[in-house]
Amino acid sequence: MPNSRIGNAVRLEFSPGSLVHTNLSGAAFSGDWLWVAGDEACGIGRLRRLDPLGTEALRYGDPSNVSLADLLDLPGDPDEEADLEGMAVVDGYLWVVGSHGLKRKNPKAHRSHADNAKRLAKVTLDANRRMLARLPIEPDRHGVPCLVREASDGRRAQKLAGDARSNELTALLDDDPHFGPYLNLPGKDNGFDIEGLAVDGKRLLLGLRGPVLRGWAALLEIAVEAHGEDLRLAPLDDSNTLIRKHFLQLEGLGIRDLHFSGDDLHLLAGPTMVLDGDIRVFRWANARSVLAENREPVRFEAALPQRLSLPHGRGINRAEAICEVPRELGLPAPGWIVLYDSPDSARKDGECTVFGDLLLRRAARR
């Protein structure tokens, strides 16, 4: 298998029973280590950089899993999925965000029409989905980065204050004219669905897969700070603004992931609904500076250039995560890795190995 892969392959080797496997939805680096999240688990995987095989570009394995229940007091059961979608490593913390969205039951081929009608009418909210948290990273005695409930320097794992039904963010949005009506719609029905996360100091950017409003994708800007055992929303400015809304013209696509590269923000975008369609990477130039200087509560960005299109198939190979590769890994040019949900057979090697892509920056400009 290694020699049959193209040279930009990123091999991820998991083990039987891994919390995260083929449903990859988030990724972030800690040096030689890669954190990964899946949208059907309530935990996080950690992979170590290994020597690549054949012509493959990068290889990660030696998997380790940590349950969110070991780090946080969860509102739901320990094995109830959190639908983690976005990740970022900043200032010694791994930040994670769940979709915050509702889900709708899917009809099954072996069920009767009447049973399937009932399934399609059932909308639920898993108690752990409305999750926004930061988790301390602390190296063990061998220098391996580990997620801990409390670090030796006093940093603690904390989540945005809330319960099984709501948190401070959804409570703030409940009567919002743009997003309030969509909180009660499932994410796959163009309902409220967070899939991207980028962190800049106290400022957090939350990219929405949905809703897409009249073709405009949405980015929410908030700030958080520690308050007792929890994280709390904090003012963005002296006017006590708690949220800013940025509407982005991504040609009708919703946001699947976010990643800062220097001053620029790169946005992975794809269909909002359960559709097979274009998956693209857009670039918001100088976004970090623009956001720092902005005081408008609502802004529109109408001209974000597309950097590249990513491969996709019919019900397969849906790009869900993008993150910049650390410079210390010694690649020939700056680049990103892209990981896929629902990988097809060409992106698998047996039951426990999947492949993402390495995208070098110079290749993205062609």
Side-chain angles (χ1 to χ4, degrees), residues 194-248:
I194 299 173
E195 292 216 357
L197 171 67
V199 181
D200 182 19
K202 286 187 176 181
R203 179 185 295 112
L204 305 184
L205 302 179
L206 305 175
L208 303 188
R209 176 173 174 172
V212 171
L213 304 179
R214 193 69 186 216
W216 291 84
L219 190 68
L220 303 181
E221 178 186 352
I222 61 173
V224 297
E225 60 186 11
H227 189 277
E229 298 293 321
D230 298 314
L231 297 175
R232 297 275 182 171
L233 293 179
L236 287 161
D237 53 37
D238 294 338
S239 300
N240 290 321
T241 302
L242 291 179
I243 191 167
R244 294 194 184 110
K245 296 179 284 190
H246 303 269
F247 289 100
L248 313 177

Side-chain angles (χ1 to χ4, degrees), residues 44-327:
I44 295 165
R46 186 194 66 200
L47 301 171
R48 180 171 62 91
R49 188 185 183 193
L50 304 173
D51 291 335
L53 299 178
T55 60
E56 294 165 3
L58 292 170
R59 176 188 173 206
Y60 287 86
D62 190 17
S64 175
N65 299 313
V66 60
S67 170
L68 286 181
D70 293 335
L71 304 170
L72 298 162
D73 295 328
L74 300 177
D77 294 335
D79 58 351
E80 189 173 10
E81 71 176 46
D83 197 21
L84 296 181
E85 296 287 354
M87 307 178 78
V89 171
V90 178
D91 296 334
Y93 287 98
L94 175 67
W95 291 80
V96 296
V97 67
S99 70
H100 283 60
L102 306 180
K103 63 181 184 180
R104 186 184 299 278
K105 286 281 189 180
N106 201 17
K108 301 290 186 179
H110 64 279
R111 300 289 189 98
S112 69
H113 296 297
D115 284 346
N116 276 332
K118 292 178 182 178
R119 289 180 63 85
L120 199 59
K122 188 171 183 179
V123 174
T124 59
L125 171 64
D126 290 333
N128 295 330
R129 281 187 166 217
R130 292 188 167 169
M131 168 78 62
L132 173 61
R134 65 179 188 182
L135 311 169
I137 303 173
E138 185 168 59
D140 66 12
R141 60 190 181 90
H142 301 292
V144 177
C146 300
L147 299 178
V148 296
R149 183 179 277 262
E150 183 169 359
S152 58
D153 60 7
R155 290 173 298 126
R156 291 182 295 175
Q158 295 170 299
K159 64 181 180 62
L160 190 64
D163 54 31
R165 301 301 305 171
S166 180
N167 64 16
E168 287 197 344
L169 176 62
T170 56
L172 182 65
L173 293 173
D174 192 52
D175 59 356
D176 183 88
H178 296 114
F179 304 112
Y182 292 88
L183 288 174
N184 294 319
L185 291 176
K188 300 300 188 293
D189 296 351
N190 199 38
F192 190 79
D193 187 0
I194 299 173
E195 292 216 357
L197 171 67
V199 181
D200 182 19
K202 286 187 176 181
R203 179 185 295 112
L204 305 184
L205 302 179
L206 305 175
L208 303 188
R209 176 173 174 172
V212 171
L213 304 179
R214 193 69 186 216
W216 291 84
L219 190 68
L220 303 181
E221 178 186 352
I222 61 173
V224 297
E225 60 186 11
H227 189 277
E229 298 293 321
D230 298 314
L231 297 175
R232 297 275 182 171
L233 293 179
L236 287 161
D237 53 37
D238 294 338
S239 300
N240 290 321
T241 302
L242 291 179
I243 191 167
R244 294 194 184 110
K245 296 179 284 190
H246 303 269
F247 289 100
L248 313 177
Q249 185 49 252
L250 304 182
E251 301 177 14
L253 302 177
I255 297 170
R256 297 292 185 89
D257 204 2
L258 302 170
H259 192 82
F260 272 119
S261 179
D263 210 31
D264 298 344
L265 182 68
H266 290 89
L267 305 101
L268 178 66
T272 297
M273 311 287 278
V274 184
L275 297 171
D276 298 316
D278 286 349
I279 300 177
R280 310 174 192 171
V281 177
F282 293 84
R283 172 175 169 260
W284 183 357
N286 303 314
R288 199 188 296 267
S289 299
V290 171
L291 292 165
E293 296 171 2
N294 173 62
R295 293 298 179 269
E296 294 287 345
V298 182
R299 295 182 74 259
F300 288 80
E301 290 288 337
L304 297 184
Q306 177 182 321
R307 295 299 303 274
L308 70 157
S309 292
L310 294 174
H312 61 277
R314 190 174 182 84
I316 55 171
N317 295 335
R318 291 169 171 162
E320 290 279 347
I322 184 170
C323 63
E324 192 168 35
V325 179
R327 295 288 180 89

